[in-house]
């Protein structure tokens, strides 16, 4: 899965991230630069990585975490005992989770099993999905009846006592390569967002909450708590989000990350900076950390400064041009192929990174095993879609847009130009509407290329450049009736569980909750995804991954533009600074201190 917990979606600089004032305070303070945040600081609302940094700082205590190598681990800091997975006679599997009884929310209230149960039940409810929320636990027993509103009871989730709960996985969803992740959940403060709500036990032993109560909880979270989550349990507590700046303070009740490390920095400020000037602000001392830098010029500038330290790692994601496979001309795979042939991804990577970019041809990043362990296979088996107007025209000649304006005369590629475009037999012109983000050299490069190249294949190209928040609103417009664009330019970062189902399975093709945002629907791809999920060994997983990548590379729900190494930079006063493909600065914050 991409950053949907996590999934994932980011803009131009993907995971890139005032100044410390002279207040005379002895408290330590860290200032981090970021691109523009939406201000949605609760999981399951939107999917910006910039908001996710805040979420990772203020929410915590999941029973499962990912370590620095990307391996799922039980978080013993909060668990009274290691969860057990019991295989039941009917083929289902039940994980029982028992948490410790002595850790608290930042307001001093005890954290209980109800706080873990609520987000699972909430995000699987009809009331939550009706508001566009994501995070549905559809692999758990009884999901469909509960999600469709046929019952108040979510059969899979049982509240055993004040500090113990269980979750039962459907038999047809097993085996599952990452089955620990079914109990990956950050608790929500019931005493704040569901005060006085009764947690009943249903006829099948599952948790049941009245529909009216669930609707009120969902509305409160989406309208109020998401923007002002002052009661949380992460290493830091939320203070404010004003003037594009988030202020956080150390949570004195935090008992430690998965290693038992406590936060050492008193205050964190995360502030929006100009993407073009992020390294300049770091060198000037206005921010202490800038992460996800990919541009060669900026990398060289930062590394030349003696006051700056560097952490380099392979990117767990890639830059791309997501395509609305459910809208307009890009419903046709031939049109998507042609669009890929009309953009020179080498130029896009160069525009962003100079010589630091790596080629990417399918749904993987530089840190993923399918690439790391199989580079030769990737090069030999995946279509690279190298720039070619000739191949673009060949693809379009196989599409419905193979006619002149009369809808019957075959299109002549030799005449292609702004005054001679392609049409289908309904007389509709082949139009590609692109939405890019402002102050973004990648958006500018794509626009420049397509303004020149699209007419050569008889394509009418339209471009809109807007702010990132508006771009995300447009990107998530699937199924709303407000769809305007065929293609965007963004990037993806994989979550700790790189399960492709939420991103590409047809079961989510019309979902409004942020899953499968391109709307791709293909039975063969579905089969590849299901095979990946059912793997039990690394060998099976590698083989299934190759088949998935081949099919995805043909369907092309987005155009991969580059992958790369990430360069994270910090002022040398940040002691212990280190990041990995799987744990960024926000995840590793408890290792840092200020000298």
């Amino acid at each position: 899965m991409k950053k949907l917990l996590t999934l994932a979606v980011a803009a131009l600089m993907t995971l890139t991230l005032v100044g410390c004032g002279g207040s005379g305070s002895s408290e330590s303070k860290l200032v981090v630069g970021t691109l523009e945040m939406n201000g949605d600081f609760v999981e399951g609302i939107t999917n910006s990585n910039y908001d996710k940094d805040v979420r990772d700082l203020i929410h915590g205590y999941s029973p499962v975490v990912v370590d620095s190598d990307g391996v799922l681990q039980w978080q013993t800091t909060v668990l009274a005992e290691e969860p057990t997975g019991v295989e039941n006679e009917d083929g289902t599997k039940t994980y029982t989770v028992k948490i410790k009884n002595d850790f608290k929310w930042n307001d001093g209230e005890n954290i209980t099993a109800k706080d873990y149960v609520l987000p699972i039940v909430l995000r699987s409810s009809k009331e939550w999905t009706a508001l566009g929320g994501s995070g549905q636990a559809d692999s758990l027993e009884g999901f469909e009846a509960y999600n469709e509103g046929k019952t108040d009871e979510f059969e899979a989730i049982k509240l055993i006592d004040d500090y113990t709960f269980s979750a039962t996985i459907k038999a047809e969803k097993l085996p599952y390569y990452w089955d620990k992740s079914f109990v990956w959940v950050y608790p929500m403060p019931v005493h704040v967002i569901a005060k006085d709500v009764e947690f009943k036990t249903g006829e099948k032993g599952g948790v049941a909450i009245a529909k009216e109560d669930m609707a009120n909880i969902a509305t409160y979270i989406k309208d109020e708590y998401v923007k002002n989550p002052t009661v949380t349990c992460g290493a830091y507590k939320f203070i404010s989000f004003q003037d594009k700046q988030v202020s956080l303070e150390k949570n004195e009740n935090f008992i430690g990350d998965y290693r038992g490390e406590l936060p050492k920095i008193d205050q964190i400020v995360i502030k929006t900076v100009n993407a073009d000037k992020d390294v300049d602000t770091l060198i000037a001392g206005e921010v202490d950390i800038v992460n996800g830098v990919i541009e060669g010029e900026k990398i060289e500038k930062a590394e030349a400064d003696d006051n700056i330290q560097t952490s380099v790692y392979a990117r767990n994601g890639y830059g791309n041009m997501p395509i609305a496979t459910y809208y307009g001309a890009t419903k046709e795979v031939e049109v998507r192929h042609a669009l890929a042939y009309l953009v020179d991804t080498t130029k896009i990577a160069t525009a962003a990174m100079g010589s630091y970019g790596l080629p990417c041809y399918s749904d993987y990043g530089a840190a993923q095993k399918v690439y790391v362990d199989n580079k030769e296979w990737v090069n030999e088996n995946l279509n690279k879609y190298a720039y070619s107007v000739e191949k673009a025209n060949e693809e379009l000649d196989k599409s419905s847009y193979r006619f002149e304006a009369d809808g019957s005369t075959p299109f002549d590629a030799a005449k292609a130009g702004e005054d001679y475009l392609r049409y289908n037999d309904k007389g509709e012109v082949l139009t590609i509407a692109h939405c890019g983000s402002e102050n973004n050299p990648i958006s500018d490069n794509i626009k420049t290329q397509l303004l020149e190249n699209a007419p050569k294949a008889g394509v009418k190209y339209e471009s809109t450049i807007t702010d990132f928040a508006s771009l995300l609103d447009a990107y998530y417009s699937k199924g709303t009736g407000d769809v305007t664009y065929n293609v965007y330019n963004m990037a993806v970062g994989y979550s700790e569980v790189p399960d492709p189902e939420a991103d590409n399975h047809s079961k989510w093709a019309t979902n409004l909750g942020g899953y499968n945002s391109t709307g791709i629907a293909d039975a063969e791809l579905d089969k590849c995804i299901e095979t990946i999920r059912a793997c039990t060994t690394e060998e099976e997983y590698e083989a299934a991954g190759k088949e998935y990548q081949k099919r995805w590379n043909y369907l092309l729900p987005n155009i991969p533009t580059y992958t790369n190494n990430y360069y994270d930079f910090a002022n040398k006063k940040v002691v212990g600074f280190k990041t990995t493909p799987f744990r960024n600065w926000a995840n590793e914050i408890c290792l840092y201190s200020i000298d």
Side-chain angles (χ1 to χ4, degrees):
M1 186 186 297
K2 301 183 184 76
K3 292 290 187 185
L4 295 170
L5 296 172
T6 86
L7 34 103
V9 180
L12 156 68
M13 304 306 171
T14 62
L15 307 181
T16 33
L17 283 164
V18 275
C20 299
S23 63
S25 170
S26 61
E27 290 190 333
S28 56
K29 182 177 180 180
L30 179 73
V31 183
V32 181
T34 186
L35 297 190
E36 189 166 347
M37 295 169 279
N38 286 347
D40 295 326
F41 303 129
V42 174
E43 183 180 312
I45 304 295
T46 55
N47 201 21
S48 166
N49 269 327
Y50 314 120
D51 291 341
K52 185 179 183 300
D53 285 340
V54 179
R55 295 199 297 269
D56 287 345
L57 290 163
I58 65 176
H59 302 292
Y61 294 151
S62 171
V64 183
V65 295
V66 65
D67 66 16
S68 296
D69 296 319
V71 178
L72 293 182
Q73 303 275 8
W74 294 117
Q75 184 162 205
T76 56
T77 308
V78 298
L79 293 170
E81 57 191 46
E82 185 171 304
T84 54
V86 176
E87 296 182 2
N88 304 311
E89 291 185 2
D90 60 359
T92 61
K93 185 175 184 178
T94 300
Y95 270 107
T96 300
V97 178
K98 186 176 184 63
I99 62 170
K100 295 177 181 177
N101 61 6
D102 59 352
F103 63 109
K104 303 177 184 297
W105 294 99
N106 61 16
D107 65 355
E109 290 289 325
N110 269 15
I111 296 175
T112 71
K114 282 185 179 180
D115 298 317
Y116 286 87
V117 163
L118 177 63
I120 303 174
V121 176
L122 165 70
R123 292 182 183 127
S124 296
S125 71
K126 185 176 183 179
E127 291 74 21
W128 180 251
T129 54
L131 295 177
S134 64
Q136 295 82 10
D138 65 296
S139 294
L140 299 186
E141 193 78 349
F143 169 80
E144 285 75 15
Y146 176 68
N147 180 254
E148 292 166 9
K150 296 177 181 177
T151 175
D152 290 347
E153 177 187 5
F154 195 174
E155 177 185 348
I157 306 301
K158 293 179 172 57
L159 189 60
I160 297 171
D161 59 39
D162 286 347
Y163 298 98
T164 312
F165 70 95
S166 67
T168 300
I169 308 162
K170 296 174 182 175
E172 62 267 29
K173 296 297 183 180
L174 295 166
Y176 181 63
Y177 195 67
W178 307 275
D179 67 358
K180 282 182 182 177
S181 68
F182 286 121
V183 289
W184 187 316
V185 56
Y186 294 108
M188 283 184 162
V190 167
H191 67 289
V192 173
I193 62 179
K195 188 177 182 180
D196 300 325
V197 169
E198 186 176 3
F199 286 60
K200 298 180 180 179
T201 300
E203 294 180 359
K204 298 181 178 181
V207 170
I209 296 176
K211 290 183 175 65
E212 182 179 354
D213 287 335
M214 192 61 76
N216 290 336
I217 293 168
T219 300
Y220 172 73
I221 292 172
K222 195 169 190 300
D223 291 349
E224 297 185 46
Y225 184 72
V226 68
K227 301 292 185 185
N228 190 37
T230 54
V231 178
T232 55
C233 60
Y236 286 81
K237 54 187 178 183
F238 182 85
I239 303 301
S240 66
F241 177 44
Q242 296 178 333
D243 300 324
K244 300 182 179 181
Q245 175 175 298
V246 169
S247 295
L248 308 172
E249 290 182 1
K250 182 166 62 176
N251 175 12
E252 299 294 348
N253 287 326
F254 187 65
I255 63 172
D257 65 8
Y258 78 99
R259 295 159 295 211
E261 294 284 345
L262 296 170
K264 304 167 183 63
I265 298 171
D266 297 305
Q267 299 178 42
I268 298 177
V269 172
I270 306 172
K271 186 171 182 177
T272 301
V273 297
N274 186 311
D276 294 333
K277 302 294 183 183
D278 53 357
V279 167
D280 291 332
T281 62
L282 176 66
I283 291 172
E286 297 173 18
V287 298
D288 302 315
I289 291 177
V290 169
N291 81 332
V293 178
I294 59 177
E295 306 92 333
E297 182 179 346
K298 293 200 289 185
I299 292 168
E300 290 161 9
K301 183 186 293 186
E303 291 194 320
D305 193 302
D306 292 338
N307 292 318
I308 294 175
Q309 56 186 314
T310 308
S311 179
V312 184
Y313 52 92
R315 179 177 181 173
N316 193 28
Y318 62 100
N320 64 28
M321 295 171 59
I323 302 172
T325 68
Y326 58 90
Y327 173 69
T330 45
K331 289 180 180 179
E332 301 182 34
V333 68
E334 296 85 2
V335 174
R336 301 198 294 273
H337 289 171
L339 185 58
Y341 282 122
L342 289 172
V343 290
D344 187 335
T345 56
T346 300
K347 289 183 178 179
I348 295 173
T350 300
M353 294 164 287
S355 61
Y356 286 80
L358 300 171
C360 184
Y361 312 121
S362 194
D363 189 28
Y364 61 85
Q368 290 197 290
K369 286 180 67 63
V370 71
Y371 174 72
V372 173
D373 296 343
N374 300 283
K375 292 179 182 177
E376 184 176 342
W377 180 91
V378 165
N379 285 325
E380 292 177 354
N381 289 273
L382 300 182
N383 188 344
K384 299 176 175 61
Y385 295 100
Y387 171 70
S388 172
V389 173
E390 180 181 358
K391 288 185 177 180
N393 274 301
E394 288 175 0
E395 290 287 340
L396 293 175
D397 285 343
K398 294 183 289 186
S399 76
S400 68
Y401 295 91
R402 57 183 182 274
F403 304 111
E404 294 183 349
D406 62 6
S408 60
T409 303
F411 181 84
D412 183 355
K415 299 178 183 177
E418 293 182 3
D419 297 323
Y420 183 77
L421 301 173
R422 290 178 176 271
Y423 293 78
N424 60 19
D425 59 8
K426 299 176 184 178
E428 298 169 333
V429 66
L430 172 49
T431 303
I432 298 295
H434 165 223
C435 183
S437 53
E438 59 193 6
N439 300 317
N440 183 334
I442 294 178
S443 292
D444 295 341
N445 187 273
I446 292 170
K447 179 179 178 180
T448 298
Q449 286 199 48
L450 288 178
L451 281 172
E452 178 181 352
N453 298 336
K456 296 176 182 177
V459 178
K460 181 181 179 182
Y461 170 70
E462 299 173 347
S463 175
T464 298
I465 303 298
T466 185
D467 61 272
F468 182 49
S470 297
L471 182 150
L472 278 183
D473 287 341
Y475 178 64
Y476 287 117
S477 62
K478 180 187 68 177
T480 65
D482 296 324
V483 182
T484 305
Y485 306 106
N486 304 93
V487 64
Y488 307 82
N489 60 274
M490 293 191 279
V492 296
Y494 291 96
S495 71
E496 296 84 350
V497 179
D499 179 354
E501 182 187 82
D503 304 303
N504 294 299
H505 198 287
S506 63
K507 68 186 289 184
W508 302 113
T510 59
N511 174 264
L512 297 181
Y515 289 169
N516 191 350
S517 299
T518 67
I520 191 67
D522 179 75
E524 189 174 334
L525 187 69
D526 289 349
K527 185 177 180 180
C528 292
I529 291 169
E530 290 156 9
T531 301
I532 286 174
R533 289 165 62 87
C535 290
T536 57
T537 67
E538 286 192 22
E539 291 77 14
E540 290 177 356
Y541 182 68
E542 180 176 306
K546 289 178 179 178
E547 292 304 309
Y548 166 76
Q549 295 295 344
K550 284 170 65 176
R551 186 60 182 171
W552 191 100
N553 174 256
Y554 168 76
L555 293 170
L556 215 63
N558 74 53
I559 301 170
T561 50
Y562 59 87
T563 187
N564 54 284
N565 291 328
Y566 266 143
Y567 287 72
D568 293 352
F569 297 112
N571 189 293
K572 286 188 174 177
K573 70 179 182 180
V574 182
V575 179
F577 179 70
K578 182 174 176 56
T579 51
T580 80
F582 310 103
R583 294 185 65 84
N584 75 349
W585 73 270
N587 303 128
E588 296 289 72
I589 190 65
C590 290
L591 299 181
Y592 303 167
S593 60
I594 301 295
D595 187 355

